[in-house]
Amino acid sequence: MDPLRGRSAELGRLLDALRTATDGKASLAVVTGEPGIGKSALLRAAVEQAERQGVLVATAAAHQTDDISPLASLAPALRVGPEPLVSTEHFLELAALNGQPLWLAERLADLINRRLEGVVALVVLDDAQWSDPLTSFVLRVVIARLSECKVMWLLATRPAPGGMTDQLIEAVRDQVPVHAIQLAPLSTDAVLELAADRLNAPVDPSLSVRLGGVQGVPFLAEQLIAGLYLTDEGLPDGLVEGVRRRTASTSELCRDLLRTAAVFGSEFRLEDVADLMRESIAKLAGALDEAIRAGLLADGGATVSFRHELLRSAVLAEVPPSAQRALHRAIANQLLATGRGPAAAAPHLLATAAPGDVQAIGTLRKAAQELLATMSITAIKVIQQTFELTPADHPLRSEVGEDVVEILLRGGRYDDAKAFADDLLSGSVLLQGPVSSDLKASVRLRLAPQQWATGQLDPAALAIEGAAPHLADRLAAYRVLAGVEHPFQTDDPVARAVQLLAAGAAAQADGRYGVARDHYAQARTTATAEVGSPPVLRIELAELFCRAQVDDLDGALKRLGELLTAGDSWLAPHLSVLRARLELAAGNLLDAADAATTALRWMAELHDHSVEPIARQVLALVALFRGHLSEAREQAGADDGIRALLAIADGDTSAAARLLVVPLDFPERAEVLVQAAVTDPGSAKAAADLLAEQADATPAPGFRGAAQLVAAYNEGDRRNLAEAVELLRETTRPLLLARAEELYGRAELQHGDRVTGVATLERALESYTAHGATSAAGRVQAVLQAAGVRRRRWAAVQHRPDTGWEALTPMERRVALLVAEGHTNRSAAEELVLSASTVGTHLRAAFGKLGVNSRVQLTRLVLERFGSPPNA
C-alpha cells in the first residue's frame, strides 16, 4: 500500500478514536469530503493500522442503487471474513424482519453484541451518502445500543447537510463520542509526494506545474499521472477529455460497453449489460478487459464497477441525453422482462418517464407497493414522484393520490398523510376536476384508524354524502366510535369491527373491563385488511390491557412478549409501555422501569411520543416504590396523580383527596386509592365507594379484594381485612397483596394479637423486599422494630442520606413544608398536634440537613424544589 500523504493529522484522529474503542467505549467517526478528495484512501489507511493491531475489521461501501434493497449497504460488512459479525444462519433469519425495521435493528444489535464479546472491532462504511434507508435506520439504533462495546464505527460521506450522517450523529451523540473529520484539499507538497509515490521517481518540473492545476484533489492528481486528466480543460471537462483520449485507442465495443454500463450505474452485472447490448458475454469479455486495463473498470467477481464515481461521470458525459433516456427505458424494460421486478426498474423509469406516461405510472405504483414491505422510505419517495408524473387532470390522479396517503400511513408518516389528504380533497391544484364522494370516503377511512388510536377522530370529516353503501357504513361506524351516532346493523365486516371496537372502548371507559375485553376480541377477529379496518394489533393492545385488569395478568404478559418479537415494530413504543404497566402490576419493578425506558428510547427512534406520559408515569411510580423521590419528581412532570403521591411522601396528608380523582386508566389505580384511604381518614369512605363501583363493574378478585380491603380498614373490621388478604391471594398483584397484609398485620398488632400481626407483617416485608419496593419495606420494618421484633440483619431499608431533602424524616418534612407556607412554630404545632418546642426541634434538624439557617432560605429551597409548597 502506498503511503498516505498529507493526512497524518486526520489519520491520527481516527487512531485516537480507535483507541477509545480499544479502551472499552464505542465511538463514531465520520469523514466528510468532496468526491476525489481522498476519503477512501484515509479509510484504507485506518483499516490497515487496525488490522496490524489485531482489530476485527468489517468493511462495506454503499452504492447509488442500494436504496431498492433492504440493508444492501451494511450487509457486506456484516458478512465479511471467515468469522463475520453475523453468521449465515442468523443473517438469513434477519431477512424475515426486513419489514419491521426496529425489530431487525434490535436483533442485529444483540447478534453483534454477542460477537464482539472480548473483541475490538472496526466497522467501516464508505460512500455512506448512498446508504439504503434501512441501513441508515439500523445504524442509528445499533450504534446507540452498542455504546459499551469495543467497537469503532467509521463512515465516509460527501457533504450533505441534514443527510444520513448528520442524522446519525444527532441520534447517537449522547451515547458515543463522535469524531467529525472534514477533509480539505491536499497541500502542494503533499500532491508532489503523492505523485512521486505513484511514479516511483522524482517529479520533473513540467509535471509539477501541471499538478498545480489539480487544486489539491488527490484523485485528479493520480488521473493526471495516468493520463486520464488534462488540467488545461478545467476540473470536470479536463477529466472528460482525459477519459475520451484514453478510450480512443480502445475498440468500439469497449466504448459501447462503458457507455451502457455508465447508464446502469456505478456497479452493474456484466450479464445485464450483455443482454441490453445483445452481445454474448464471451464477446464482451475482451471489451471488459480493455476497460480494466484502461483504468476505468474493476472486476469484483459477481459485479463490475467503475473505479471511481468521477470516472463514471466522465464516461456518462459522453452519452447524449437522448441516448441516456433511451438506455434507461431499455434497461427498465429488460429488468421487467427478466423478472427482476418493478422495484429494480423504478430508478430507470423515474429517470425517463414523462408526465402522463401511463405505462410508467402503473409500473411505479407497483414498485412503491413492492418496496413498502421492506423499504418504506424509498416507497414513499417513489410514490410521491409517481404522483408528480400523473397530471392533475388525469383519470389516474385520484388513485395515485390514494396510494400516497396509504404509503405515507404505512410508513409511519401520519402527519404528512393527513396534510396531503386535506390538500388532495380540498379542490386545490393537487387534483383538478371533481372530487368524488367515494374518493373522499376512501381517503378519510384510511386516516380514521390512526385518528382513533390517537384520540383525534373528527366526526365532521366522516360525514360524507353519496358514498358507496359499504363506504357509507364504515364512515357511520367511525361516527359511532366517535360517540356521535348510535350503533346500527350492517353486513359490512369493517363496519362491524369498528362498532365492536366502539362497544369495547365504551365499556373500558366505564371500567367494565371484562365486557370490554370480549368486545375487543370480537373486533379483532372481525377486522379485515380492507380500507378503514382498524389495525388488529392496536385492538389487541386494548384487549391485553383489559385482560390484565380482570386478573389475567400472566396471560396478557405472555402474549405481549410474543408481540414484542413478532408484532408491528411501528407500534413498539406502545407495546413496551403496555408491558411496563403490566410488569408494574405484577410487582416486577425493575422490569417495569426497563420496559418504560426502552419505550422512551424507541419513541425517540420512531419519532412517536404519543405514549410518553404513560411511560413516565410508570417510571415515577417505580421510583416512589423504591423511595427515590427526586427521580420520581423528575419523571412526574405535570401529572397530578404523581404529584399528589409525592406530596404525601413529603408529609402532606391532605394531598390524599387529590388521588380520588385519578382517571380510570391511571397505572395501578386500585393501589393508589388504597393509599388515599390509608393516608387520610377523610378520604377513606370515598376511596372505598370508588373501589366498590369498580368491583361492581368488573368483579375480578383484584378489584373486589381492594374494595373489601379499604372498606374493612375504614371500619376497623379485622375479619374482613383477613378475607380481603385471602381474596387478593387469587390475583397476580404481589404489591397490592403486600399492602393488604401490611394493613391487616398492623390491625392485629394494634388489637394485641402479636403472633398473627408479626407473621403477617413479615410476609409483607418479604414481598416488598423481594420486589424492590424499598420504601414500603422500610415502612413495615419500622413497625416490626417498634413491636420489638429482632433480626440479625434488617436489609430492607435504604440508607437515609445525611444531607438534602431525602435526609429529612417524614415529620421533619411536614414541619419544613408548613414553615415554608408561613406557619409559626406555634401554628405548625397546632396543625400537627405537637408542642411548639417539638416543632422547633424538628425545624432545627431540618435546617441542619438542608444547609439553611433561616426561614427565608428554607422557603426559597422549597420553592425551587416544588414550584410552590405542596401543602398549598
Side-chain angles (χ1 to χ4, degrees):
M1 178 177 174
D2 291 322
L4 184 69
R5 299 297 185 182
R7 302 295 188 202
S8 57
E10 291 87 347
L11 181 59
R13 291 181 61 188
L14 292 182
L15 296 180
D16 286 342
L18 185 59
R19 277 189 285 274
T20 299
T22 304
D23 292 338
K25 178 68 176 176
S27 62
L28 168 66
V30 177
V31 177
T32 305
E34 299 293 343
I37 203 69
K39 301 184 294 296
S40 299
L42 179 59
L43 265 57
R44 287 194 297 271
V47 165
E48 182 184 26
Q49 292 291 330
E51 289 175 335
R52 287 179 181 176
Q53 298 174 30
V55 172
L56 172 65
V57 175
T59 62
H63 299 91
Q64 287 175 304
T65 55
D66 282 357
D67 63 355
I68 63 171
S69 301
L71 216 61
S73 307
L74 187 61
L78 303 176
R79 304 292 304 118
V80 71
E83 296 185 25
L85 290 173
V86 178
S87 69
T88 299
E89 178 186 0
H90 288 142
F91 189 77
L92 292 175
E93 291 175 2
L94 290 175
L97 297 175
N98 283 341
Q100 301 293 342
L102 189 57
W103 298 153
L104 186 146
E106 293 285 335
R107 175 62 174 153
L108 186 56
D110 180 58
L111 292 171
I112 296 175
N113 184 45
R114 293 188 209 171
R115 176 67 182 87
L116 294 183
E117 188 172 346
V119 175
V120 181
L122 171 65
V123 182
V124 180
L125 179 60
D126 202 358
D127 286 324
Q129 73 277 356
W130 287 325
S131 296
D132 65 274
L134 186 55
T135 287
S136 301
F137 177 81
V138 162
L139 283 174
R140 293 199 298 272
V141 176
V142 170
I143 292 176
R145 278 285 309 276
L146 301 182
S147 61
E148 299 302 321
C149 290
K150 296 180 178 181
V151 58
M152 174 182 169
W153 305 85
L154 174 56
L155 280 65
T157 183
R158 296 180 184 179
M164 176 268 192
T165 50
D166 282 358
Q167 294 174 27
L168 176 61
I169 290 172
E170 184 63 28
V172 306
R173 68 189 326 148
D174 292 336
Q175 284 79 35
V176 300
V178 176
H179 307 267
I181 299 173
Q182 177 73 46
L183 291 190
L186 291 177
S187 67
T188 300
D189 288 344
V191 170
L192 293 176
E193 290 171 353
L194 183 151
D197 293 335
R198 302 300 184 267
L199 294 169
N200 199 25
V203 179
D204 64 57
S206 62
L207 180 58
S208 297
V209 172
R210 295 176 63 207
L211 285 169
V214 304
Q215 300 182 21
V217 179
F219 171 77
L220 294 178
E222 293 177 353
Q223 300 313 307
L224 187 147
I225 295 166
L228 284 178
Y229 176 57
L230 305 178
T231 59
D232 57 349
E233 300 290 339
L235 281 175
D237 294 338
L239 187 59
V240 171
E241 181 59 26
V243 170
R244 182 185 297 134
R245 293 190 182 188
R246 174 62 62 89
T247 57
S249 60
T250 63
S251 66
E252 182 63 30
L253 185 59
C254 176
R255 294 193 292 275
D256 287 345
L257 166 65
L258 286 167
R259 287 191 288 265
T260 305
V263 177
F264 257 105
S266 57
E267 186 179 51
F268 56 92
R269 300 195 315 176
L270 185 61
E271 53 266 43
D272 287 338
V273 174
D275 287 345
L276 191 65
M277 295 177 65
R278 303 183 186 279
E279 298 283 359
S280 69
I281 292 180
K283 188 173 181 180
L284 279 185
L288 174 62
D289 185 58
E290 288 184 80
I292 292 172
R293 284 187 280 107
L296 297 174
L297 296 182
D299 192 344
T303 59
V304 180
S305 61
F306 281 86
R307 287 192 176 275
H308 197 282
E309 181 58 24
L310 288 175
L311 293 176
R312 173 180 173 258
S313 299
V315 171
L316 196 59
E318 290 289 279
V319 184
S322 57
Q324 288 189 37
R325 181 183 181 83
L327 279 170
H328 275 302
R329 181 52 68 100
I331 291 168
N333 291 337
Q334 177 183 305
L335 292 173
L336 291 169
T338 56
R340 300 281 285 281
H348 300 285
L349 285 175
L350 289 170
T352 63
D357 185 336
V358 174
Q359 183 180 0
I361 290 168
T363 302
L364 289 170
R365 290 178 68 186
K366 293 177 183 177
Q369 293 292 341
E370 181 182 317
L371 288 164
L372 184 58
T374 57
M375 301 283 285
S376 60
I377 295 175
T378 303
I380 290 169
K381 291 179 181 177
V382 169
I383 198 62
Q384 287 174 330
Q385 289 176 281
T386 306
F387 185 75
E388 292 172 4
L389 286 172
T390 313
D393 58 352
H394 196 282
L396 285 175
R397 182 77 163 185
S398 60
E399 293 182 27
V400 181
E402 273 198 84
D403 288 350
V404 175
V405 175
E406 177 195 358
I407 291 173
L408 282 169
L409 287 170
R410 292 179 61 185
R413 300 260 295 272
Y414 169 76
D415 289 341
D416 292 337
K418 173 69 165 55
F420 180 86
D422 289 344
D423 286 344
L424 184 71
L425 302 180
S426 66
S428 70
V429 294
L430 283 186
L431 182 62
Q432 295 178 9
V435 178
S436 70
S437 296
D438 281 0
L439 175 63
K440 289 181 181 179
S442 182
V443 169
R444 293 302 176 197
L445 284 169
R446 292 185 189 281
L447 295 170
Q450 177 68 20
Q451 292 172 333
W452 156 68
T454 56
Q456 298 176 344
L457 272 178
D458 179 6
L462 298 169
I464 299 170
E465 298 291 337
H470 70 290
L471 296 178
D473 277 2
R474 295 174 191 182
L475 290 168
Y478 272 103
R479 294 197 296 274
V480 172
L481 183 57
V484 298
E485 288 193 14
H486 296 294
F488 60 93
Q489 293 294 321
T490 176
D491 293 328
D492 182 73
V494 173
R496 289 203 306 273
V498 174
Q499 291 195 84
L500 285 166
L501 179 60
Q508 182 176 339
D510 291 339
R512 295 179 289 121
Y513 294 112
V515 175
R517 173 202 58 197
D518 295 341
H519 284 313
Y520 287 141
Q522 286 183 277
R524 179 167 52 81
T525 56
T526 305
T528 70
E530 296 179 52
V531 62
S533 187
V536 170
L537 183 54
R538 283 195 181 272
I539 300 174
E540 188 165 12
L541 285 175
E543 180 187 347
L544 288 174
F545 174 79
C546 293
R547 282 177 62 183
Q549 295 297 92
V550 296
D551 291 329
D552 184 14
L553 190 53
D554 287 343
L557 272 170
K558 181 180 178 181
R559 175 56 180 157
L560 193 57
E562 296 169 356
L563 294 175
L564 277 164
T565 57
D568 184 352
S569 66
W570 291 108
L571 290 178
H574 302 259
L575 290 163
S576 199
V577 162
L578 180 56
R579 181 189 160 219
R581 295 194 64 170
L582 301 194
E583 295 286 8
L584 178 67
N588 304 322
L589 300 184
L590 294 181
D591 289 339
D594 179 67
T597 302
T598 298
L600 291 172
R601 173 164 53 83
W602 285 346
M603 289 176 211
E605 287 160 357
L606 296 176
H607 307 291
D608 175 7
H609 295 272
S610 57
V611 288
E612 181 173 346
I614 305 175
R616 298 207 178 276
Q617 275 183 335
V618 171
L619 287 171
L621 288 169
V622 170
L624 279 165
F625 271 119
R626 296 175 61 79
H628 301 161
L629 300 188
S630 294
E631 181 182 340
R633 198 173 307 282
E634 289 175 7
Q635 299 293 348
D639 189 299
D640 290 336
I642 302 296
R643 288 166 69 91
L645 290 169
L646 281 164
I648 291 169
D650 281 324
D652 180 11
T653 57
S654 66
R658 288 151 51 194
L659 296 177
L660 300 176
V661 295
V662 295
L664 274 175
D665 62 351
F666 192 86
E668 292 315 282
R669 179 171 178 264
E671 167 67 18
V672 168
L673 291 175
V674 172
Q675 171 84 331
V678 172
T679 302
D680 176 21
S683 301
K685 177 64 167 60
D689 291 344
L690 288 170
L691 284 167
E693 289 175 12
Q694 185 66 75
D696 289 341
T698 301
F703 291 126
R704 287 189 288 117
Q708 184 168 333
L709 174 69
V710 172
Y713 176 80
N714 189 33
E715 297 164 4
D717 187 334
R718 290 180 297 116
R719 179 179 175 182
N720 280 340
L721 277 174
E723 290 180 359
V725 168
E726 293 308 311
L727 191 55
L728 288 171
R729 291 195 197 284
E730 300 177 24
T731 73
T732 50
R733 286 174 158 76
L735 294 178
L736 183 56
L737 172 60
R739 185 63 152 158
E741 290 178 322
E742 176 189 350
L743 295 176
Y744 175 50
R746 292 178 69 163
E748 291 290 8
L749 269 185
Q750 290 169 3
H751 191 262
D753 187 346
R754 177 181 171 82
V755 174
T756 304
V758 168
T760 306
L761 285 169
E762 286 190 327
R763 284 197 299 272
L765 176 60
E766 289 170 4
S767 182
Y768 282 142
T769 304
H771 291 89
T774 50
S775 177
R779 186 175 65 229
V780 175
Q781 178 177 309
V783 175
L784 287 169
Q785 287 174 322
V789 177
R790 297 290 177 262
R791 283 187 176 183
R792 179 170 296 179
R793 182 181 181 189
W794 294 96
V797 179
Q798 282 186 303
H799 174 67
R800 190 188 299 278
D802 295 326
T803 60
W805 189 262
E806 313 295 348
L808 304 186
T809 66
M811 187 55 71
E812 288 166 357
R813 288 179 192 165
R814 294 196 66 188
V815 169
L817 293 172
L818 288 170
V819 169
E821 288 178 12
H823 280 272
T824 64
N825 284 14
R826 186 173 299 281
S827 63
E830 293 173 356
E831 181 84 14
L832 298 172
V833 195
L834 297 172
S835 68
S837 62
T838 300
V839 168
T841 299
H842 287 309
L843 185 59
R844 286 191 296 274
F847 277 8
K849 293 176 181 179
L850 296 175
V852 300
N853 52 29
S854 72
R855 292 170 181 264
V856 173
Q857 290 178 337
L858 174 63
T859 302
R860 185 180 299 118
L861 186 148
V862 169
L863 289 174
E864 288 173 356
R865 180 176 176 83
F866 300 101
S868 63
N871 290 335

